[in-house]
Structure formats: structure tokens, C-alpha cells
Amino acid sequence: MDTKKSLLILLSTVVVLLLSTAVQSCLPSDRAALLEFRAKLKEPYIGVFNTWKGQDCCNGWYGVSCDPTTHRVAGITLRGESEDPIFQHAKRSGLMTGSISPAICKLIRLSTIIIADWKGISGEIPSCIENLPFLRHIDLVGNQISGVIPANIGKLLRLAVLNLADNQITGEIPWSITRLTSLAHLDLKNNNISGVIPPDIGRLKMLSRVLLTGNKFSGQIPESLTRIYRLVDLDLSLNRITGPIPASFGKMSVLASLNLDGNLISGTIPGTLMTSSISNLNLSGNLISGQIPNTFGPRSYFTVLDLSNNRLQGPIPASITTASFIGHLDVSHNHLCGKIPTGSPFDHLDATSFTYNTCLCGKPLGNCKK
């Protein structure tokens, strides 16, 4: 009887171990989807996909991560510029080519897609990613991806990061994007995206960074942007944006960097910007007129204040010397006139900060005529 009991216990243990191993392995459907995804990519120099073999894609497959509870594939992370040891033996800088297969959409528990900095991946973003409800992180930066942003991307209600920078994406920002109320990081810089910035983008209250530089955006700056209280970094530079600068930018409590350079912005500089939380303010290369606001004070702190290449007139305001700090100042290529104030920050600036104005004078330019 004891022998039979021992044998029964042993058999039960073996069955449990076998079942446990089976459960912990990735699903055959996930493995098949990964291999279908991999078939559309070519990477001959580093051997990124050399580990994609065997039955268990949750263990040892480079860049693949699985949910520990469901054992479904939850993440694909493939970066072309990586410090991972697998890249140390590359024959040359990694270059992956091919396209992103729609097979990726068969990984229904996917929360992370990072296929970044390969420079050679082309094709379009599969529109079926709209149907991956667990997606939180999409990063396809630094490739040659073309086509448009999927129209119904707003269905991804968990999405926190959308980084499509440095590609060849065209079309407009889908208006459905304003449904992404969990979105914290939006980076679309250096593409060929056109149209207007969605007017109700201010609905995205979790946004901390909005980087849209180097596109073909037109229209005015949406006033609703100034109602995103978490926004720290806003870069709309090198576009075709028109109209005035919303004065309410100066009332945002955490906005630290505002880059609007290289647009067609007109009107005057809101005085509130000079005493705001903004420490990096770049308004250069626009059509801004009027005078530099005489509203500087002890709260004014600028690592960069660039007002160059505009249509500003009048003097440099005397209140600028009351600023607590100004690291870099550039007011060149305007129509300013009068004596340059003395003292900080002017004691460490060179002439290039003031050249090509109508009649500025004083140190570091020439003496003023009596």
C-alpha cells in the first residue's frame, strides 16, 4: 500500500510539473505571431533574432517580454542603438530593414511596442494596432515609416507614450487622439505631418511633453494647450503656425520650455511670459512686432531667451536687469533702438546677441552718439 501511495504521489507530482511547464510557456498562437512579425524584418549584422528559436517565446527570446500571470506576450522592445551586450559584437552599426507586419496585432495582450532607431524600417503603421486595447507604449522613433497615423488611434485608452519622431509620416493628426486621456508623452517631431493641431488637444490633461517640431502644421496655436496643467515641454518650432501667442502660456505653473521658433507667428509678446515659469523661451524667426515687454522682475529666470529674427521695435527694457538670471539672450535681427542696459546679464554677452538692429548702441556694441 505504501508503495502504491508513493507511486501515486510521484505520478501526481510529475503531472503537476508538466502542467506547470506547459502553462508557463508562451501560447503557440503568440509564438506563431512573433515569427510572422519577424519574417517581415531583415537584420543581418547583429543577430538580434538569433535567440528567437525554441517553443517558449517567453524565455530567452531577445526583446520579448511576457505577462507573468497570463504568460501572453506583453512587450516587444527592439532598439537599434542599444548598450545591450548583444550589440557589442556587431560588424557595423545596426541596420534593420523591412516593415512592421500586421501580425503584431495578433498579440492581443501587447502593452509595449518599441521598434526604434533602426533607420531602415519602412512601410506603414499597421492600422490594426487600434484593436490592441492594452497598449500603453508605442515608440517607433528613428526609422523610415511612412503613411498616416491610424485614424482610430483614440481607441487606445491606456496609451501613455506615443513616439513616432524622425520618420516620414504624412497626413494630419487624427482628431480621435483627443480621446487618449492617459497620454503623457506625444512626440511627432521631424515628419511631414500637416493640417492644424486639434483645437481640443487640451482635453489631454496628463500630457507633460508635446513635441511637434519639424513638420508642416498650420493654423493657430490652440488656446486649449494652455489648460494642460502638467505640461512641462512644448515644442512647435519649424512649422507654418500663424496667429498670436496665447497670453495664458504665462500663467501655466510648470511649463519650463516653450519653443515656437521658425513659424509665421505674429502679434506681440505677452508680458506674462517674462515672469512665468518658462526658463527656455525661443520665439526667434517669426513675424512678432511691438516692443519687448517691460515686465521682467526677480521671478524672471531664463537659461535661454531668444527673440531674434522678428520685427521688434523700441528699446531693450530697463527691467530686464532685475531678472534673477539670464544665461543666453539673443535680440539680433530686429528693429530695436537705444542704449543697451548695463549690468547683468549684459556683462557676459557678446555683440552677436545685439547685431542687425536699427540703432542699438552701448557695450558690447559701439558707444552711443551724444
Side-chain angles (χ1 to χ4, degrees):
M1 184 67 69
D2 290 340
T3 303
K4 289 182 179 180
K5 284 183 178 180
S6 299
L7 183 60
L8 184 61
I9 292 170
L10 179 61
L11 288 173
S12 299
T13 304
V14 170
V15 170
V16 169
L17 288 173
L18 288 173
L19 288 173
S20 175
T21 303
V23 170
Q24 290 178 3
S25 298
C26 73
L27 268 65
S29 58
D30 280 6
R31 179 180 178 276
L34 285 171
L35 292 176
E36 191 177 345
F37 161 78
R38 186 259 176 276
K40 291 289 186 179
L41 298 170
K42 183 179 180 182
E43 192 287 291
Y45 300 107
I46 300 173
V48 165
F49 296 114
N50 288 349
T51 59
W52 285 35
K53 54 190 176 183
Q55 297 302 309
D56 189 1
C57 58
C58 289
N59 287 298
W61 285 36
Y62 180 82
V64 177
S65 59
C66 293
D67 187 304
T69 56
T70 64
H71 305 289
R72 300 297 301 263
V73 173
I76 298 176
T77 302
L78 302 172
R79 292 190 182 276
E81 296 177 0
S82 173
E83 295 181 359
D84 194 285
I86 197 170
F87 285 80
Q88 294 180 3
H89 303 293
K91 295 179 180 178
R92 68 179 200 182
S93 178
L95 178 66
M96 186 184 292
T97 57
S99 61
I100 300 173
S101 170
I104 201 171
C105 303
K106 297 178 182 179
L107 302 167
I108 59 173
R109 299 288 301 191
L110 204 58
S111 63
T112 300
I113 301 174
I114 300 176
I115 308 170
D117 295 315
W118 289 102
K119 301 178 176 63
I121 296 176
S122 57
E124 300 186 0
I125 302 170
S127 60
C128 59
I129 67 166
E130 303 163 347
N131 301 316
L132 294 174
F134 296 96
L135 269 183
R136 293 180 53 82
H137 192 133
I138 301 175
D139 185 349
L140 306 178
V141 63
N143 288 294
Q144 297 181 26
I145 295 170
S146 58
V148 300
I149 301 170
N152 293 317
I153 198 167
K155 292 168 64 177
L156 304 177
L157 298 182
R158 290 179 170 88
L159 197 64
V161 175
L162 179 60
N163 187 351
L164 306 177
D166 302 319
N167 279 288
Q168 299 173 10
I169 295 170
T170 55
E172 302 183 0
I173 295 181
W175 286 45
S176 71
I177 204 170
T178 59
R179 300 177 195 153
L180 301 178
T181 52
S182 297
L183 195 64
H185 180 104
L186 176 63
D187 190 348
L188 305 177
K189 66 175 177 283
N190 299 327
N191 279 286
N192 293 304
I193 304 171
S194 57
V196 301
I197 301 169
D200 55 350
I201 193 172
R203 293 176 57 188
L204 307 183
K205 301 299 184 184
M206 300 299 290
L207 276 175
S208 62
R209 301 188 78 197
V210 177
L211 309 178
L212 306 181
T213 184
N215 281 285
K216 298 177 180 177
F217 290 110
S218 56
Q220 298 192 11
I221 301 170
E223 182 81 27
S224 69
L225 272 171
T226 68
R227 296 194 288 273
I228 304 176
Y229 64 91
R230 293 174 180 264
L231 194 60
V232 174
D233 187 359
L234 176 61
D235 192 346
L236 306 180
S237 61
L238 303 177
N239 281 289
R240 301 171 181 174
I241 295 171
T242 56
I245 302 169
S248 43
F249 272 136
K251 299 177 182 178
M252 298 179 70
S253 59
V254 298
L255 185 64
S257 181
L258 178 60
N259 290 309
L260 304 177
D261 52 296
N263 281 287
L264 301 170
I265 294 170
S266 56
T268 59
I269 300 174
T272 53
L273 296 185
M274 301 300 107
T275 54
S276 66
S277 62
I278 301 170
S279 59
N280 179 354
L281 179 61
N282 191 341
L283 307 180
S284 67
N286 281 288
L287 306 174
I288 300 170
S289 56
Q291 297 191 1
I292 301 173
N294 192 20
T295 54
F296 292 85
R299 290 186 56 196
S300 307
Y301 185 100
F302 292 99
T303 54
V304 174
L305 178 57
D306 193 341
L307 310 177
S308 63
N309 289 280
N310 278 289
R311 299 177 177 179
L312 297 170
Q313 298 176 331
I316 297 175
S319 66
I320 198 170
T321 60
T322 65
S324 62
F325 178 77
I326 298 181
H328 173 77
L329 173 69
D330 193 344
V331 296
S332 64
H333 296 269
N334 278 288
H335 304 295
L336 300 175
C337 197
K339 185 177 181 180
I340 299 172
T342 57
S344 178
F346 302 96
D347 50 7
H348 70 264
L349 299 173
D350 59 33
T352 58
S353 295
F354 307 99
T355 54
Y356 298 99
N357 276 285
T358 301
C359 52
L360 278 182
C361 60
K363 188 179 179 182
L365 299 178
N367 293 330
C368 296
K369 296 180 181 178
K370 295 181 179 180

